Amino acid sequence: MDPMPSTTNLPLQCPVCSNRLDLLAADTGQGRLACPSGHSFDAARQGYYNLLVGKGTAFEADSSAMVQARSDFLGNGHYAPLADAVAAAVVPFLPEAGAAVLDSGTGTGHYLRSLLDAAAAQGRTVAALGLDISKFALRRAARINPEAVNLVCDIWQPLPLADSSVDAVTVIFAPRNAAEFARVLRPSGRLVVVTPRKGHLASLAAVTGMLGIGEDKEARLAEAMSGHFSAETTIDVDIPLALTRREAADLAFMGPAGHHLDRDALLVRLDGLPEPVAAGAKFQLMVFRPGKHAAG
Ligand SMILES: C[S@@+](CC[C@H](N)C(=O)[O-])C[C@H]1O[C@@H](n2cnc3c(N)ncnc32)[C@H](O)[C@@H]1O
Ligand SMILES: [Zn+2]
C-alpha cells in the first residue's frame, strides 16, 4: 500500500485562519487536513487536497491532454539530465534529519520524484510538499509521489506553510512568488529555479509554431528575485534529443504552446519530418540563497 504523506516535518498552515493544519487519518483510509479552529480539507479520491480559497488567480489550466503529453514525455526519461541536475543542486542543502522541500508548480510531480529518490539514495528522508493550481496535474503527482503532501494552491496567495519551514524550494518552469518563497525557506535553505534558455527547442519551434524563448532570461530572473534572494550559482543544462514524431508532438504540446496549438494540425506538420526528430533542450538552473547579499 502507498505510504501516507506525513506532515510531521512539514508545518502546514490553514489557508483560512493560519493555524497549524494537521493530517488526520480517516476510517476510510483517506486523509483529512484539519486545523484547531475547525477548518478541514478532505483528500480527493486521488490523494491530493484542495486548499484553494476563493477563486485563485485567473489562469489557463493545462488541459488533461497537455498533462498526459507531459507525463508521457517526462516518463520516457528525455529530461533525466535536468532531473539529476535539480537533485544535485538541492540534496547538499538538506539536513540529515528533518529535511523538508517544497516543489512549487509541481505539475505531474516528475522532478520531485527524482529529488526524493536521489535523497533516499543518500540515506535522507525528506518531507515533501507539491503545490500546483491544476487538479489534473496533481492527480498524477499524488500517484507518483504518494509520500508527499500534494496541495491545490494558487502561488499568488499566501503559501500554506509556516515561516522558515523548508530547506529547499524548487520551481521548474513555473511561476515564482519571491516574497513567499523567502518567507517559507529556512535561512540555510536554497531556492532552485529552472527556466528555458534562448534557443531552447528552436528547431522544433520552427516546425510546430511553438513560442520562442526571449533573451536575457538570467538577468531578468536575478532582478525579479533580488528583493529577497541573491543568485549563488547558475548552470546550463543542454540535452540533445532524438525523438519519434509522437514524442516531438508531446513535447510541443506539453508546454505553454499547448494552449494555442491544435494538436491534429501539429501532428500533420510533424508528419513530413524524418525520424529521429532532432532538437536541443537548453535550460538554465539557478540557485538562490535567501537574503540580500553582495553578489558572489
Ligand atoms: C510548465 S508546467 C511545469 C510543471 C512541472 N514543474 C514540470 O516541470 O513538469 C507549469 C506548472 O505551473 C502551474 N501553475 C501555473 N500557475 C500557477 C499558480 N498561479 N499557482 C500554482 N501553480 C501554477 C501549472 O498548473 C503547471 O503545472
Ligand atoms: Zn483554520
Side-chain angles (χ1 to χ4, degrees):
M1 202 180 134
D2 284 339
M4 274 280 282
S6 165
T7 54
T8 308
N9 291 317
L10 211 51
L12 297 180
Q13 269 185 358
C14 175
V16 181
C17 69
S18 298
N19 272 318
R20 182 173 170 124
L21 272 184
D22 280 307
L23 185 60
L24 310 177
D27 298 341
T28 56
Q30 298 275 24
R32 185 163 67 89
L33 288 171
C35 81
S37 314
H39 303 117
S40 135
F41 306 85
D42 290 333
R45 191 166 41 86
Q46 297 88 353
Y48 64 86
Y49 299 84
N50 191 342
L51 257 57
L52 255 190
V53 284
K55 276 200 189 137
T57 307
F59 85 112
E60 199 175 359
D62 288 357
S63 64
S64 76
M66 287 168 70
V67 170
Q68 176 76 50
R70 173 167 292 272
S71 181
D72 289 347
F73 184 83
L74 295 176
N76 284 338
H78 296 296
Y79 283 174
L82 178 60
D84 292 346
V86 171
V90 169
V91 172
F93 293 101
L94 301 180
E96 303 239 323
V101 300
L102 161 64
D103 187 27
S104 190
T106 193
T108 55
H110 176 81
Y111 295 97
L112 181 56
R113 179 71 267 149
S114 303
L115 171 52
L116 294 176
D117 289 343
Q122 298 195 17
R124 283 166 213 221
T125 309
V126 181
L129 177 59
L131 297 187
D132 205 286
I133 202 165
S134 160
K135 282 190 225 176
F136 291 130
L138 279 192
R139 281 179 193 168
R140 280 171 195 271
R143 205 181 306 150
I144 74 161
N145 299 323
E147 72 275 60
V149 179
N150 290 287
L151 302 178
V152 179
C153 285
D154 183 355
I155 193 68
W156 301 117
Q157 293 179 354
L159 298 180
L161 265 175
D163 296 359
S164 298
S165 54
V166 296
D167 302 290
V169 176
T170 52
V171 194
I172 303 164
F173 319 126
R176 296 169 290 271
N177 182 340
E180 278 296 281
F181 295 156
R183 181 182 67 76
V184 302
L185 260 178
R186 294 181 176 138
S188 57
R190 292 295 186 274
L191 166 66
V192 173
V193 179
V194 176
T195 50
R197 300 198 326 274
K198 182 173 159 53
H200 174 61
L201 303 179
S203 60
L204 201 53
V207 183
T208 61
M210 285 160 74
L211 300 176
I213 302 297
E215 284 183 75
D216 260 355
K217 281 254 174 183
E218 180 179 350
R220 270 192 283 145
L221 177 56
E223 196 181 310
M225 298 286 129
S226 65
H228 302 276
F229 290 96
S230 49
E232 193 170 56
T233 52
T234 302
I235 60 166
D236 290 346
V237 180
D238 291 301
I239 308 175
L241 299 166
L243 306 172
T244 63
R245 282 187 289 272
R246 197 195 139 86
E247 289 170 334
D250 279 343
L251 179 53
F253 200 64
M254 73 189 217
H259 292 300
H260 54 84
L261 281 180
D262 179 272
R263 185 158 199 173
D264 291 341
L266 179 65
L267 282 167
V268 169
R269 287 190 197 189
L270 288 165
D271 224 17
L273 287 186
E275 289 184 335
V277 180
K282 292 173 180 288
F283 303 116
Q284 168 188 278
L285 183 157
M286 290 188 83
V287 179
F288 293 89
R289 60 185 194 276
K292 298 182 222 174
H293 304 268

